[in-house]
Amino acid sequence: MSKHMPPAHPFDFDALSPFDDGDKLKEECGVFGVLGVADAANFVALGLHALQHRGQEAGGIVCHHPEFGFNSAHRFGYVRDNFTNATLMQTLPGPLAIGHVRYSTAGAKGAVIRDVQPFFGEFSMGGAAIAHNGNITNAIALRRELIERGSIFQSSSDSECIIHLMARSLQKGIPERMEDALRRVEGAFSIVAMTRTKLIGVRDPLGVRPLCLGKIGDGWVLSSETCALDIIGADYVREIEPGEMVVIDEKRGVQSHFPFRRVPSRFCIFEHVYFSRPDSIIGGRSVYETRRQIGVELAREAPVDADLVCPVPDSGTPAAIGYSQESGIPYAMGIIRNQYMGRTFIEPTEQIRNMGVRLKLNVNRALIRGKRVILVDDSVVRGTTSRKIKQMILDAGAAEVHFRIASPPTAWPCFYGVDTPQREKLLAATMNEEEMREHLAVDSLKFISLDGLYRAAGEAEGRNNKCPQYCDACFSGEYPVAPSDMIEKGFQLKAAE
Amino acid sequence: MSKHMPPAHPFDFDALSPFDDGDKLKEECGVFGVLGVADAANFVALGLHALQHRGQEAGGIVCHHPEFGFNSAHRFGYVRDNFTNATLMQTLPGPLAIGHVRYSTAGAKGAVIRDVQPFFGEFSMGGAAIAHNGNITNAIALRRELIERGSIFQSSSDSECIIHLMARSLQKGIPERMEDALRRVEGAFSIVAMTRTKLIGVRDPLGVRPLCLGKIGDGWVLSSETCALDIIGADYVREIEPGEMVVIDEKRGVQSHFPFRRVPSRFCIFEHVYFSRPDSIIGGRSVYETRRQIGVELAREAPVDADLVCPVPDSGTPAAIGYSQESGIPYAMGIIRNQYMGRTFIEPTEQIRNMGVRLKLNVNRALIRGKRVILVDDSVVRGTTSRKIKQMILDAGAAEVHFRIASPPTAWPCFYGVDTPQREKLLAATMNEEEMREHLAVDSLKFISLDGLYRAAGEAEGRNNKCPQYCDACFSGEYPVAPSDMIEKGFQLKAAE
Amino acid sequence: MSKHMPPAHPFDFDALSPFDDGDKLKEECGVFGVLGVADAANFVALGLHALQHRGQEAGGIVCHHPEFGFNSAHRFGYVRDNFTNATLMQTLPGPLAIGHVRYSTAGAKGAVIRDVQPFFGEFSMGGAAIAHNGNITNAIALRRELIERGSIFQSSSDSECIIHLMARSLQKGIPERMEDALRRVEGAFSIVAMTRTKLIGVRDPLGVRPLCLGKIGDGWVLSSETCALDIIGADYVREIEPGEMVVIDEKRGVQSHFPFRRVPSRFCIFEHVYFSRPDSIIGGRSVYETRRQIGVELAREAPVDADLVCPVPDSGTPAAIGYSQESGIPYAMGIIRNQYMGRTFIEPTEQIRNMGVRLKLNVNRALIRGKRVILVDDSVVRGTTSRKIKQMILDAGAAEVHFRIASPPTAWPCFYGVDTPQREKLLAATMNEEEMREHLAVDSLKFISLDGLYRAAGEAEGRNNKCPQYCDACFSGEYPVAPSDMIEKGFQLKAAE
Amino acid sequence: MSKHMPPAHPFDFDALSPFDDGDKLKEECGVFGVLGVADAANFVALGLHALQHRGQEAGGIVCHHPEFGFNSAHRFGYVRDNFTNATLMQTLPGPLAIGHVRYSTAGAKGAVIRDVQPFFGEFSMGGAAIAHNGNITNAIALRRELIERGSIFQSSSDSECIIHLMARSLQKGIPERMEDALRRVEGAFSIVAMTRTKLIGVRDPLGVRPLCLGKIGDGWVLSSETCALDIIGADYVREIEPGEMVVIDEKRGVQSHFPFRRVPSRFCIFEHVYFSRPDSIIGGRSVYETRRQIGVELAREAPVDADLVCPVPDSGTPAAIGYSQESGIPYAMGIIRNQYMGRTFIEPTEQIRNMGVRLKLNVNRALIRGKRVILVDDSVVRGTTSRKIKQMILDAGAAEVHFRIASPPTAWPCFYGVDTPQREKLLAATMNEEEMREHLAVDSLKFISLDGLYRAAGEAEGRNNKCPQYCDACFSGEYPVAPSDMIEKGFQLKAAE
């Protein structure tokens, strides 16, 4: 879903009031599908619960039953508050189901249930549903063209283009129509789709977003991350490869195709830094271990004399452990997180509005007083939270505060399925490291280098600048797919050097 | 909305549990629109409240504001429970708004918010919304054709065809596209539509459903019935004529066109009998007065010696007054209605499920005991309620029970926007008057004649059988527009005589 | 419940927003109880639904099951929206249950669930619950005394005094404790109470409020009105007599006592005029017939030359029928009521707030135009609604408007369980008939005489001024029980003549 | 609140469906109060949010405003979902407020809003509200006595006794009445109470539960824990001492009394182990540091050769850090917690019901495979969760699993405000350490010794067995106050040795 879309439909008044400091990049979606088990929708619900970190605003499930046909439910709120209810789940029968969780663009007033995926379309040969993780970078142009030809959009989502392109394809079969549609599409997509009998998975040629295949009994699973295989007790089989389409049915099992032109893959390195869950395995690597190793690299690149290494909970924890282990400085929980924070407040009091980070974090005062503290955080986006945390630590009596950041400076927006502030709001877009240190008013501030990050992610030689192993556009400004809608709107690419 | 549509979208679990004895024909929709007043949506809300009898399941409003664009809200439930709320109404700004109330097909499990009108479409020249009262009799064929060409339907409503036809029209302007679309459409339609600046009203060439024009200050109103003009203090101007399209904007006022081939009009006579509110004026006649006059005609056609004339509340009341006045037999409230009955029960107890009519009606026992009672009702559809009421009256000690029905026997389903049971469930489809009397086990049962009904409706000479002045297909089986979808599905028209 | 109580407990924020023109006297309560049937609470729910006109704000049920003990539910809103739900009703098992519906004092912000009856108390010999219709006129004094002795009140209800007095009684049995308590209480009370095994009914010595006994199978029923016996199919046995206490258990059936000093009874005559349902039988008389007879008396006392007799719906209907029949002037529905009006609006728009009576009533314009209209209404309290209705009728083009009122001028507040405005707000407290006519600006205005009202209620000789057969304090200012709390607060009784 | 109370009031149907593995001891309450700030209730809401770990079922606030008097709100659910709402908080004005969060007894069907504190009572000299953390061990006897004297209980809470005792006190002032009442009460109590002008804090003579005093501007704060002072920016002043009552008003500030007989204090040692938040300071000690030190002691007492030290999240984390630091074995996040777990499921599917711990915890498979793992948990209650976690770890391929428990074996129930399973359900009540190891089927299982725990809590010499410095009844069976209600019900104290 891109927030830059013109509204497809007048907004409805079901808007949530997201309470969010807006100081993290947000993965926008998680996708999950199951074929060949009784009550597949129940498995999808559990899978989506395990993928909730990839999208907290809303979720949806579409399923198919030979007798009862397609059914669906789309809801705002957490999976656990909606899709655990027996009465609802009884309306979602059948051995085949797909689901989607999504994050909404911060501050959008127009959160509408029509934007919640999976999307469904009825074609002349039958129905199909798709769930999309990623972002289509030529969606505005496609939408304009489709509207001119008479398509009526029901959502403001870029993903809806895909199903309209499918509806107009001259191909007969649904998988073939999907290939047709995806060849018109630019950008990042990891898609889980279904027909009445088939479960379909596709990744864009660069393989920007993750997608993996699992097996449960005689059934099959597609999931954004492996942690969602674990929750349902499925076995991990393999990742869907960049540019691969798998079509799975109960008779023939998994059929693999590569319908797109092959290009070197560019997996999103930020999935390792922050988006994916630490208990997931990506590219054969433990995400937790990569993060811990970032801490180790950071301790080597940016050592400092101090008394304690404290994570900014919870995303900074693995890197802080690594930093402590490499540096020998004791690891400690200097900041305590309130377990009872949720995400939304309906019509909050002024005081709640002003509380910010103090509602969820508190300093462990007795521990911090008089100490030189290294704070390890995963990233600095706008810097607003970092400033508040620094202040809390100082108010508690810390002698020194040193920030160590487990990613390079985030200087460029992501156009491949991540909600990033506009470029001018990114602290690193306008300041160098020393300016940021001054801005945050800390004793020292160090980011891991791009090469250090690549090393931690398993590339012993660091980044191959000729042909980078990952998509790191948010750090480097090197976009592997031109963001054509954004360029049309005036976005300035990095000047060639 | 036709219940015979194949499902366009898997159903969502928000189904209401309609509690309904299913023994009345149900008007399926009311439409209303306002242009040229501040906060037009508030006026639409009031108008829809006054039209609530035309559709109780759900309602929707779309509005347009020069700065804030199109906005909308669609809700299940009564207008008064949704569209009176200030917080919601603030999200519906602007001087132009249209609205719709609808009744859902009895027992449909798949009530989905996507089926609630007005429908909205974004075209290359801007957005438009339409609200439709009536039914399109070739919707299945149109839908099939549109899907083959790549349209994606979001609802199961026949009315959605119109907006897809508009999206594919080669015309430039939205009114022109609507003309184009409506020329492809068969059946009954009274439509209120809007663009960013225009309010549009159209009636099908037969003028089956009502639609009238009003004036409020410098603004204009379109409404299914005049009673909704009264509630907002608008002045009645005139009816939209059969086959007329009016396009209203703030500069040029009302522009009238007749884009369809002219045919003799056939207004629905059941609007006079039951659907419309008694305080509305249709065709220059008071609906109340027509109904009272039906009672007068009935007293002449079917006199009987008795002690009391009692209406079956509330729809039988005007005819009962007329019957009493013509016969000289005292009018009395022999059946009392519980004011606190609503329409739906969520997960009702077994006992509630079995209560039926006793939840809303009670016999005035002290009045009825030992009396010969004439009960005046508006119609007999399946006869189930009539049997229960008869039994209640007898249990209370009535000496005799005589039914007088303010409409002819309902023997044929309506395909023009009324929810009718299948033909074989209509009592009059399988029984003659005497068989019905035996079935209901009453002392006498008489229906008004078709000619008597026409006389009460102002046709002094009765029905012109060559060219009937009204659509009376539900009584006569003479369908002014061939119900082509239904014929394709096997519906048998009345054999030519 | 008296609104004059000091708050017993800080109010909770569950206040409803009652939308009410405040221009009717409001009965404050209905009571109902059943013993000796399976799932008695279901029967109580139906009975309360039939008594909903006696209190729309909230309802409660307490029941007892030999194994599961006492259970209860108290809810704001209509019975039909709460106590029809199977999941809730399953929590209310057992063969014995009582219930209560209540009306809240208009505009009270502090509607709290703690004020909703029945009240429950655990005594050393077991629990008991009571539901009270009426008002205790010495509640403030009793409450003060009880608090001084250490009782803690949970509600602001006058009725709670009864259960605290019972808790402190030195008697052993619960019926005996109730007698003890009620001997301390002044005012009006029709009470339905229960212990683990007994259903108890009591009426105050004057018998101000109604209470009747019914039989259903082997079980017993107590109800405010007979219409609630009808809905569950119970047979009417008799009224509980003024000053009578009945104690019913499954073994011994109905035991009757008269624990209070006998005095001549004074049943509330306004129950006949307005409060009770027309299909109820009180004192052996049909309420409907009494009201129709009031119309007859009114036509004799106050004839006028006119074209139509129209009721102000719905409470003026029976009297209008009587007026028409006696005068020979045709009866007509000149004002149509919107069936879809409810009672509350949550956070209404400004426009809704200002709509007033037009939201629920509309004039039948085609009928009224040019006519001389007699409007029959049940009462004039503050006169605000009457003025609006008159204006609507004139706006519709009536030639003349004549008001005929089915009760004498309401000049005094009721302290026996009816919500009346303060005396100075009663139109008849400050104006005579002619002044009221001028104030309402109608062509004529006539109230039925007190004697006429008594005749219509079956007292052929009219009112016995020495010893009036009814309580008519609201008309006459003659209070059969001194309202001692109110006198302490400064209320001025009528000067002796 | 004791679950052993006879029900005071029939239960209402608002029961939540707590989803809980029942394998942790649960603190039952947190209390908080503020005097002398604008909109004190907002501060109380924030304080309760910080104390949410002490009670998640429900919360309540009572406040007082000189003009608007007492107001209150009681709600089921999290503080953040209820008391952050501006509309609700506007109904809670004034400079003085107290609040309470509570945990309900596991599985209790009868959760009723009437049981939610603070409790309010109106006395002849004015109103008072109290919030109680702890448990009254002679509540059944007191309740029986109070009911016999005519008190009516509204809740099933033991705490309600206090306010009834106050209502019956012969003292004049409310603080004096509270002293009177508390002298009759046995057990544990940390109370925050209020009158119209005073904020009152009391701790029982043993000081079992915590209570501290803070200062904010010119105002005063009472709180169960210091972490709740931090969130509102209040300064920590001191703890309320065991047996101390403080009465605070705006004029005279804090007045301290010691109304009870002095005895050596016995603070609950489990507050250090688990109940209190790690960022709180109790007895001058950081809770986090005590827990880390438990890990250090445990590493000394029960070393084992292994590859990783992993906490069972989140409560085992500080001890795991300490164990790792003392043993030199690397600390790692071997188990990942799902951030999106809440506490309740409404009508869950069968599958959800069976998921148990897998819904919230997942093993970090890539990390664990082939490793010898030390799992550090805070306690073993029934052992059910420990078994499941062990199985998850083995399923993920761990080579060895060693449990280290940061508390001694929990062999006795707590009667002082903690929800403990019945004694026979406590694993340690029926098994010794080796039997437990076999039962859990782990390679080794070691609990910290009682002396080790005391050392970690700052008692260098370990436990003083003559006069223990803490209440450790759950480990030792030595109850500092005889649980008289329980003894009456048949509870067997530990045999004297």
Side-chain angles (χ1 to χ4, degrees), chain A residues 276-297:
Chain A
S276 292
R277 250 175 59 173
D279 46 341
S280 284
I281 296 167
I282 296 184
R285 289 182 65 82
S286 155
V287 172
Y288 172 84
E289 181 56 24
T290 296
R291 288 182 192 167
R292 196 190 65 82
Q293 198 62 40
I294 294 174
V296 170
E297 292 284 339

Side-chain angles (χ1 to χ4, degrees), chain B residues 39 42-43 46 49-54 56 78 80-81 83-90 226-235 277-281 285-286 288-289 292 314 317-318 321 325 330-334 336-352 355 358-367 369, chain C residues 39 42-43 46 49-54 56 78 80-81 83-90 226-235 277-281 285-286 288-289 292 314 317-318 321 325 330-334 336-352 355 358-367 369:
Chain B
D39 295 326
N42 281 333
F43 289 83
L46 288 167
H49 172 61
L51 297 175
Q52 189 82 75
H53 60 290
R54 298 183 74 85
Q56 295 94 52
Y78 290 151
R80 61 168 298 282
D81 293 332
F83 296 101
T84 52
N85 178 271
T87 304
L88 173 58
M89 297 312 287
Q90 280 163 17
T226 64
C227 64
L229 301 181
D230 296 345
I231 200 171
I232 65 167
D235 293 318
R277 248 175 62 172
D279 46 342
S280 284
I281 295 168
R285 289 182 65 80
S286 154
Y288 172 84
E289 182 55 22
R292 196 191 64 83
D314 287 341
T317 301
I321 292 170
Q325 289 169 343
Y331 172 84
M333 294 170 66
I336 302 293
R337 181 182 171 131
N338 185 322
Q339 307 279 359
Y340 302 100
M341 270 303 292
R343 196 171 139 275
T344 61
F345 290 94
I346 307 301
E347 201 196 326
T349 61
E350 202 53 33
Q351 208 164 2
I352 288 292
M355 284 301 284
R358 285 171 64 180
L359 275 176
K360 61 178 170 190
L361 301 181
N362 190 27
V363 174
N364 197 338
R365 306 173 77 87
L367 186 72
R369 194 173 309 121
Chain C
D39 295 325
N42 280 333
F43 289 84
L46 288 168
H49 171 61
L51 297 175
Q52 189 81 76
H53 60 290
R54 297 184 75 84
Q56 295 92 53
Y78 289 152
R80 62 168 297 282
D81 293 331
F83 296 102
T84 54
N85 178 270
T87 305
L88 174 58
M89 297 311 288
Q90 281 163 17
T226 64
C227 64
L229 302 180
D230 296 344
I231 201 172
I232 64 167
D235 293 318
R277 248 173 61 171
D279 47 340
S280 285
I281 296 168
R285 289 182 65 79
S286 155
Y288 172 84
E289 183 53 24
R292 196 191 64 83
D314 286 342
T317 301
I321 292 171
Q325 288 169 344
Y331 172 83
M333 294 170 66
I336 302 294
R337 181 182 172 133
N338 186 323
Q339 306 279 356
Y340 303 100
M341 270 305 291
R343 199 171 136 275
T344 60
F345 290 92
I346 308 301
E347 201 198 324
T349 60
E350 202 54 33
Q351 208 165 3
I352 289 293
M355 284 300 286
R358 284 171 64 181
L359 275 176
K360 60 179 171 189
L361 301 181
N362 189 28
V363 174
N364 196 339
R365 305 173 78 86
L367 186 73
R369 194 172 310 120

Side-chain angles (χ1 to χ4, degrees), chain D residues 392-412:
Chain D
M392 288 170 69
I393 293 282
L394 286 183
D395 289 349
E400 295 176 13
V401 179
H402 303 272
F403 263 108
R404 292 298 175 271
I405 309 301
S407 58
T410 307
W412 295 90

